[in-house]
Amino acid sequence: MSTEPRINERIRVPEVRLVGPNGEQVGIVSIGDALKLAQEADLDLVEVAATARPPVCKLMDYGKFKYESAMKAREARRNQAHTIIKEIKLRPKIDPHDYETKKGHVVRFLKAGDKVKVTIMFRGREQSRPELGFRLLQRLAEDVTELGFVESQPKQDGRNMIMVIGPHKKKAEAKAERAAARSKGDESGDAGESLEQDMAQVSEPRQ
C-alpha cells in the first residue's frame, strides 16, 4: 500500500481545506478552485491530512519537497550512531585490582556512548549469597554515576545476576567529542612541532 500522499487530480473529494505555499490559511474551497490556484501558481496541490474533514491540502512544489525530504532522511541516517551493548563479567568476591580493571572497561564503554551489561557469575555456595552480587553491582553503579545510569535494575537470571548501565551521553555526542578532541590534539601537536623547530633554529650555532 502506497504511503505517498495524493496530489493534484488524484485528490477526489468535493472540497478541501487549503493552505497556501507559505503556510497561510486560505480556507475551505472546492477541489476545482484549489486545482486552479495550484496551476496558476505553478505548484502542486498536495493532500497533507487525508483523514481531516474536509481533507487538508497544501500548495507546494512536490518534487522539491520530496527531494529535500530524501536528503534530510539520508543525512539523519548518516549521523545516526547505533548504541552497542558491551558486557562485563564479575565474580561476587572479585579482587580489588581486578575490580578496578573491570570498572575501567565500564568507564571506557560509557564514555564511548555504549550501554554496559554487567553480569555477576555465582558458583557453588555463592548462589546462596545473592546479596554479595547485589552490593557489588550497586557499588559499580555508584562509581560510574557521572557517566551512566542504571537502565535495568539488578535481577537474578539462573546462576547470574544482571544489571544494565546506560550512558548519559548519546553515541553521536560521544563520537563528536572524540573527533573534536583528536582535532584539538592534532593542532597542539602541530604547535609543539613548530615550537621545537623554532627552538632548534635559535639554538643552531652560527657559522
Side-chain angles (χ1 to χ4, degrees):
M1 193 171 180
S2 176
T3 57
E4 294 275 329
R6 294 188 296 182
I7 65 172
N8 300 326
E9 287 75 14
R10 290 173 53 200
I11 305 171
R12 297 178 180 177
V13 292
E15 57 185 18
V16 298
R17 185 177 297 278
L18 187 62
V19 179
N22 298 315
E24 66 274 18
Q25 297 291 329
V26 178
I28 297 175
V29 300
S30 70
I31 186 65
D33 288 343
L35 287 170
K36 184 178 179 181
L37 288 170
Q39 188 175 13
E40 290 174 351
D42 196 23
L43 295 171
D44 298 300
L45 183 67
V46 182
E47 189 177 56
V48 294
T51 57
R53 291 292 176 266
V56 180
C57 294
K58 184 175 181 180
L59 296 174
M60 68 172 75
D61 183 337
Y62 187 58
K64 181 180 178 182
F65 170 76
K66 281 189 67 176
Y67 173 77
E68 290 178 349
S69 296
M71 291 299 291
K72 287 179 182 178
R74 187 181 303 170
E75 189 66 24
R77 286 195 299 270
R78 188 181 301 161
N79 293 333
Q80 185 179 15
H82 299 288
T83 300
I84 300 172
I85 298 182
K86 303 288 188 175
E87 184 171 10
I88 289 291
K89 295 183 178 181
L90 309 174
R91 294 293 308 281
K93 297 178 181 179
I94 188 171
D95 176 84
H97 176 74
D98 289 341
Y99 172 79
E100 291 300 322
T101 301
K102 298 283 188 178
K103 185 180 75 174
H105 294 325
V106 175
V107 167
R108 189 173 76 253
F109 295 149
L110 292 174
K111 282 183 176 179
D114 296 320
K115 294 183 182 181
V116 185
K117 176 183 176 183
V118 186
T119 302
I120 304 291
M121 301 180 296
F122 297 96
R123 292 180 184 172
R125 295 182 180 180
E126 291 175 346
Q127 295 180 60
S128 63
R129 301 288 304 281
E131 69 276 6
L132 294 176
F134 184 77
R135 283 201 296 267
L136 183 58
L137 291 175
Q138 279 190 315
R139 175 187 171 190
L140 180 60
E142 290 171 2
D143 285 348
V144 299
T145 188
E146 292 185 2
L147 298 171
F149 63 97
V150 178
E151 186 173 288
S152 178
Q153 293 293 334
K155 62 181 179 181
Q156 197 78 26
D157 181 18
R159 294 185 177 184
N160 300 328
M161 183 176 286
I162 297 170
M163 177 180 75
V164 177
I165 303 176
H168 288 313
K169 292 180 181 177
K170 294 181 179 178
K171 185 81 171 176
E173 293 175 0
K175 188 176 180 181
E177 284 188 3
R178 289 200 304 274
R182 281 199 300 270
S183 176
K184 188 174 181 181
D186 291 343
E187 290 176 2
S188 299
D190 292 343
E193 185 178 343
S194 177
L195 181 60
E196 287 178 4
Q197 290 174 352
D198 292 342
M199 292 294 290
Q201 290 174 0
V202 170
S203 61
E204 283 180 1
R206 293 185 178 179
Q207 299 296 329

